[in-house]
Amino acid sequence: MEILKSERISSNKHELQIKIDRASYSEAYSRIFRKETAHMTIPGFRPGKAPRPVIEKMIGKDAFMEETLNDMFPKLYDEAVSETKIHPVDTPELDLVSNDEEGIVIKVEVYVKPEVTIENYKGIAAEKTKVVVTDGEIDHELYHIRERNSREIEVTDRPAQMGDTVNIDYEGFSDGVAFEGGKDEGHDLKLGSNSFIPGFEEGVAGHSVGDEFDVNVTFPTEYHAEDLAGKEAVFKCKINAIKLEELPEADDEFAKDVSEFDTIAEYRESLKEKLAKTKEENADYEVESQIVDFLVENMKADIPEAMIATEVENVVRDYDMRMRSQGLDLSTYLKYTGETLDALKEQARPMAERQLKSRLALEKIAELEGLVVSDEELEDEYKSLSERYGVEVDKVKESIASEDLSEDLKIRAAVKFVKDAASVTEVEPKDEDEHHHHEHEGEGESVAKAEVAPETSAKKRTRKKKETKEEPEVKEEEKTEKTEE
């Protein structure tokens, strides 16, 4: 193989001309010829036994040129890419240039990583939130810890009230007809969690154990089940049990039970330190996000569509992996939401373009600033990955090519370089203390809203201390609305 030409013909496209010597081509052609004619029937000869000159007289001397070039091309192309150090991002286009006694010349055109320009990346203006931990935030964190260590007490001497967890049987009817997904027995529901459609939980509150009663509601006009959207319905309900969540007192004994500290004051101080660390990390992330915004806005590159499409696939694949970690897969999610894969990809495109542009900009900065990764840094990163995932270093090296890991480390170094060179102004945090003081009444509600995981019947999963159950389909619209908010 000989490379006759290697030239960038546009900002994102490269042309190669590769010469294949006659001997190499003839050898490959003979192999393909034997394979293709092994069972060919020629009059006067047994199948596959006709001489090559006879066959060529019938079908032509270069009848299998396309098959031969297709067979040879992958290896030739890999060698050419390695030799020219180009970075293809799409499937190459192949054309025949010449075919003579000296050999075959082919032309290859392929989209490559685009040329990138990025200016003014030193001194980027960014704001960093000053790290302040308030007593209210410590109270908020302590409340969640107390909640995780709470116990449930059965209530028999009063009706259910907001904040209680009730165990109920229910069945929903619209126009006197029971509808699909509107029935369950032995369902645990925390009143005030807003897990059901508006009005349902309020209708359950005020009733006692053993009561059988109706709850009248109206489905939201934007409800996912079109046959129920905007319609009135009645749920026939029965309360089987009422439980009250009792939180432990935040005292020294509690601190000893849940931590290595002897007093609640010491424990609160440790929580303050952890919150401060988390806030510092978040503040750093916000600075990096502002820097990335600047780079994405100011970088210039003619990015091939194939490159964007690949990044979109990566975003969707990551989304699928996150859903699988919650017990759901992408195909099931699409089935029950009625969304198409193409629509999901279209939604993922802005994020994909942002990730792609930021990476290209950072790669260019690493190049401009001469950032390099030493063998020692590379080895340390392999060891770090080994420890993180509990896999031997050699196994990590088999999974991640050193070239790829080195590029990732360069990106990391470029982020640090731009961040260190940025003009960062410290700003006061937004006052969230009041929010935390008033949030405790609905702590269970906030958790239920945050931990949304669609199930196989497009229903909502709400965190509970006991066994988690699927909630009926009638609640899905409320879940969706709160998640989007």
Side-chain angles (χ1 to χ4, degrees), residues 207-219:
H207 294 280
S208 302
V209 173
D211 284 358
E212 297 186 18
F213 53 93
D214 292 347
V215 176
N216 296 296
V217 296
T218 301
F219 282 93

Side-chain angles (χ1 to χ4, degrees), residues 139 142-143 146 247-255 263-265 267-268:
D139 292 339
L142 190 57
Y143 180 93
R146 292 168 62 207
L247 275 62
E249 290 295 326
D251 53 20
D252 291 347
E253 289 303 315
F254 176 72
T263 67
I264 192 66
Y267 186 42
R268 286 178 64 91

Side-chain angles (χ1 to χ4, degrees), residues 240-258:
N240 303 313
I242 303 172
K243 292 182 180 180
L244 170 66
E245 189 175 60
E246 183 180 68
L247 275 62
E249 290 295 326
D251 53 20
D252 291 347
E253 289 303 315
F254 176 72
K256 292 176 183 177
D257 287 342
V258 299

Side-chain angles (χ1 to χ4, degrees), residues 5-17 84-89 108-116 300-304 307 360 364 367:
K5 180 180 180 181
S6 176
E7 180 184 351
R8 188 180 282 262
I9 56 178
S10 71
S11 64
N12 60 14
K13 204 168 190 180
H14 203 92
E15 178 185 326
L16 297 172
Q17 286 198 14
T84 58
K85 302 187 185 306
I86 63 173
H87 299 281
V89 296
V108 178
E109 289 187 1
V110 63
Y111 283 105
V112 293
K113 275 188 177 181
E115 294 177 340
V116 177
K300 295 179 181 178
D302 184 10
I303 303 176
M307 206 171 181
L360 288 171
K364 187 63 178 180
E367 175 192 328

Side-chain angles (χ1 to χ4, degrees), residues 274-306:
K274 291 178 181 177
L275 288 170
K277 181 181 178 182
T278 299
K279 284 195 168 192
E280 181 67 31
E281 292 172 349
N282 290 340
D284 283 340
Y285 176 79
E286 289 173 2
V287 170
E288 289 184 10
S289 182
Q290 294 170 62
I291 289 172
V292 168
D293 286 342
F294 178 91
L295 297 178
V296 168
E297 183 68 25
N298 288 274
M299 67 91 69
K300 295 179 181 178
D302 184 10
I303 303 176
E305 179 59 33

Side-chain angles (χ1 to χ4, degrees), residues 29 56 73 78 150 171 224 251 334 339 436 453-455 479:
Y29 187 91
E56 288 183 339
F73 184 70
D78 287 345
S150 66
E171 185 173 13
H224 74 283
D251 53 20
L334 293 175
E339 191 171 13
H436 289 309
E455 307 235 346
K479 171 201 72 179

Side-chain angles (χ1 to χ4, degrees), residues 329-341:
D329 61 77
L330 184 60
S331 60
T332 304
Y333 170 79
L334 293 175
K335 177 181 177 182
Y336 285 100
T337 60
E339 191 171 13
T340 66
L341 182 58

